[in-house]
Amino acid sequence: MKLPDFKLERYFAKYEFNAPHLLCCSDCESFTIKEILSLEGESAFERFQNQWLGYTEAPGNPELRQTIADIYTQVSAENVLVTSGAEEAIFLFMNAALEKKDHIIVQYPCYQSLIEVASSIGCEVTRWEMQEKDNWELDLDFLSGSLRPNTRAIIINAPHNPTGYTPSVEKWNVLIELARSRNIVLFSDEVYRFLEYNAADRLPAACDLYENAVSLGVMSKTYGLAGLRIGWIATRNGEIYRRMASFKDYTSICNSAPSEFLSLIALKHRDKLACRNLDIIQENLLLLDQFFTRYSDKFLWQKPKAGPIAFPSIRWEASVEDFCLDLVQKKGVLLLPSNYYDFGQRNFRIGFGRKNLPQCLDKLDQYMQENKE
């Protein structure tokens, strides 16, 4: 297996820890270890200090798996596999569920590994492209027309990175029934679930609706705990689960004991963590609405429905990468240009899940004022 450079990650490797004003982060405001332990009082501090640092159970800590299962309605702890972040889960799924010459359909733009890992295996990949002019709505007619006899999986991400789009429940159900009618596996990236601005827009987890769905979750996004490097999949497809668990023996084998301990506490209080981050997002969205209204002649802004990121575009004739690089050089503000998603030269990802957005936005405003032409 040979994989190309991960463009987005190489971009962040260059700028993320050098640029002072990160305005494209895909995660939410984080917490300290002390803040997480404080959720359960002094006993948690003592238990953490006495945490055994030997090997952990390969599928994940049993209590953590049960706590994750409690997020869903139709899965048990035995249906949950804990991984090293979402990235390992994606890698495991692609290698366990797909074979050379299998066909997959991937919602696009997307996180690069959702395409590249399958391509490296020798799969045929159809990009199910979303359009800004259509408010990023999914085209189910395109999906239906793209199915082939060898279509093995549909890869979906909702709420979506980078647009913040989430489909209606009606559209979601049609998609699932389409997969079920052909016995196609649905890999559902749900890492931003519970960050819907309107709770009525929250979709049921794919693994709860469809026996051949694999739902992906992670501590990094909704809960702001990227440093724990804990993710998971939940699926009722026993064969895919078995294959993924077996393939994990060649990757991380098992997870970090301290990370599983802290994740368990965090998920027991997941509503509190998600609500804190959703409050930050809502406050920041008000500022973004005001900013993009002031510069409506410069940017096309479509307010997302969920999550801490959006995908606006520039209205002037130039390369969006040139704009982003000039901005980071002159003001230290980091945006993510769309060419790092292989999605043209007009859009950029903006992130607003962190408390420092007002300071970052002020620097961007300064740049726009200084470059009015």
Side-chain angles (χ1 to χ4, degrees):
M1 173 185 294
K2 291 187 177 181
L3 291 163
D5 284 348
F6 203 127
K7 294 181 180 180
L8 182 152
E9 297 299 344
R10 290 299 89 209
Y11 181 81
F12 277 116
K14 183 176 181 179
Y15 291 109
E16 184 176 10
F17 294 99
N18 297 312
H21 307 291
L22 302 181
L23 194 52
C24 59
C25 296
S26 63
D27 59 350
C28 291
E29 186 76 18
S30 196
F31 297 84
T32 65
I33 292 175
K34 182 178 180 181
E35 287 174 318
I36 297 301
L37 293 175
S38 295
L39 293 169
E40 296 200 345
E42 289 301 319
S43 65
F45 286 86
E46 182 176 355
R47 285 184 285 126
F48 188 55
Q49 289 176 331
N50 290 318
Q51 170 66 51
W52 181 253
L53 295 180
Y55 285 118
T56 61
E57 293 191 37
N61 176 288
E63 189 178 0
L64 175 59
R65 293 170 72 198
Q66 181 57 60
T67 303
I68 292 170
D70 291 342
I71 297 173
Y72 307 98
T73 62
Q74 300 298 319
V75 302
S76 64
E78 289 69 32
N79 303 129
V80 173
L81 179 67
V82 182
T83 62
S84 180
E87 183 69 277
E88 184 186 30
I90 293 168
F91 190 80
L92 294 177
F93 170 79
M94 297 293 181
N95 280 279
L98 303 176
E99 297 181 0
K100 186 176 181 179
K101 295 186 178 180
D102 279 346
H103 173 242
I104 67 169
I105 301 172
V106 184
Q107 182 186 8
Y108 188 78
C110 67
Y111 194 57
Q112 189 175 337
S113 58
L114 293 174
I115 283 181
E116 296 293 359
V117 178
S119 295
S120 74
I121 295 169
C123 294
E124 303 166 7
V125 178
T126 295
R127 298 186 181 196
W128 183 14
E129 188 167 322
M130 307 161 74
Q131 299 291 335
E132 188 174 25
K133 64 181 176 62
D134 297 327
N135 298 317
W136 305 116
E137 278 291 342
L138 293 177
D139 184 347
L140 293 182
D141 290 335
F142 177 90
L143 175 65
S144 179
S146 298
L147 296 176
R148 306 176 188 173
N150 63 330
T151 301
R152 171 63 172 158
I154 297 169
I155 314 299
I156 189 82
N157 172 208
H160 183 248
N161 173 0
T163 67
Y165 163 82
T166 190
S168 66
V169 172
E170 293 75 19
K171 184 166 281 192
W172 186 236
N173 288 334
V174 170
L175 190 158
I176 287 177
E177 287 308 312
L178 182 62
R180 177 180 281 119
S181 69
R182 301 282 292 270
N183 199 34
I184 295 170
V185 175
L186 181 66
F187 183 85
S188 180
D189 180 341
E190 300 167 0
V191 298
Y192 291 110
R193 192 161 177 255
F194 302 109
L195 288 182
E196 299 82 4
Y197 312 150
N198 183 344
D201 291 333
R202 183 169 304 142
L203 300 174
C207 64
D208 286 332
L209 295 180
Y210 179 35
E211 60 278 7
N212 284 328
V214 178
S215 289
L216 173 68
V218 76
M219 298 304 299
S220 307
K221 308 301 185 183
T222 298
Y223 308 110
L225 295 171
L228 293 183
R229 308 312 304 137
I230 292 293
W232 64 84
I233 59 97
T235 182
R236 289 181 282 156
N237 185 313
E239 181 59 19
I240 286 180
Y241 182 98
R242 185 195 65 77
R243 291 181 183 180
M244 290 183 67
S246 179
F247 199 89
K248 190 171 184 274
D249 294 338
Y250 286 96
T251 54
S252 64
I253 302 177
C254 63
N255 307 301
S256 159
S259 290
E260 289 196 330
F261 182 96
L262 293 168
S263 294
L264 175 58
I265 292 178
L267 287 178
K268 286 181 178 179
H269 302 270
R270 58 184 176 271
D271 291 344
K272 182 176 182 178
L273 303 190
C275 285
R276 195 288 306 260
N277 282 333
L278 194 53
D279 285 344
I280 294 172
I281 288 170
Q282 297 281 28
E283 291 176 7
N284 287 340
L285 268 175
L286 293 175
L287 298 178
L288 286 176
D289 282 340
Q290 295 168 8
F291 174 85
F292 284 112
T293 296
R294 288 199 307 275
Y295 293 104
S296 59
D297 61 325
K298 297 294 186 181
F299 301 104
L300 177 59
W301 166 247
Q302 294 188 28
K303 188 174 180 178
K305 294 181 179 180
I309 52 177
F311 209 42
S313 58
I314 59 174
R315 291 186 182 273
W316 66 91
E317 293 300 322
S319 158
V320 74
E321 184 174 25
D322 290 344
F323 160 62
C324 292
L325 293 180
D326 194 51
L327 175 64
V328 74
Q329 290 164 7
K330 291 180 177 177
K331 293 295 179 181
V333 176
L334 187 67
L335 294 171
L336 178 64
S338 54
N339 52 293
Y340 288 89
Y341 283 94
D342 285 335
F343 196 77
Q345 280 282 358
R346 310 301 302 163
N347 298 83
F348 59 91
R349 190 177 81 184
I350 189 165
F352 43 91
R354 297 188 180 185
K355 292 180 179 179
N356 68 342
L357 177 125
Q359 293 76 31
C360 297
L361 202 56
D362 182 61
K363 290 293 183 180
L364 176 55
D365 192 35
Q366 290 177 24
Y367 176 88
M368 297 304 298
Q369 288 295 318
E370 294 167 9
N371 294 270
K372 289 184 177 181
E373 294 300 323

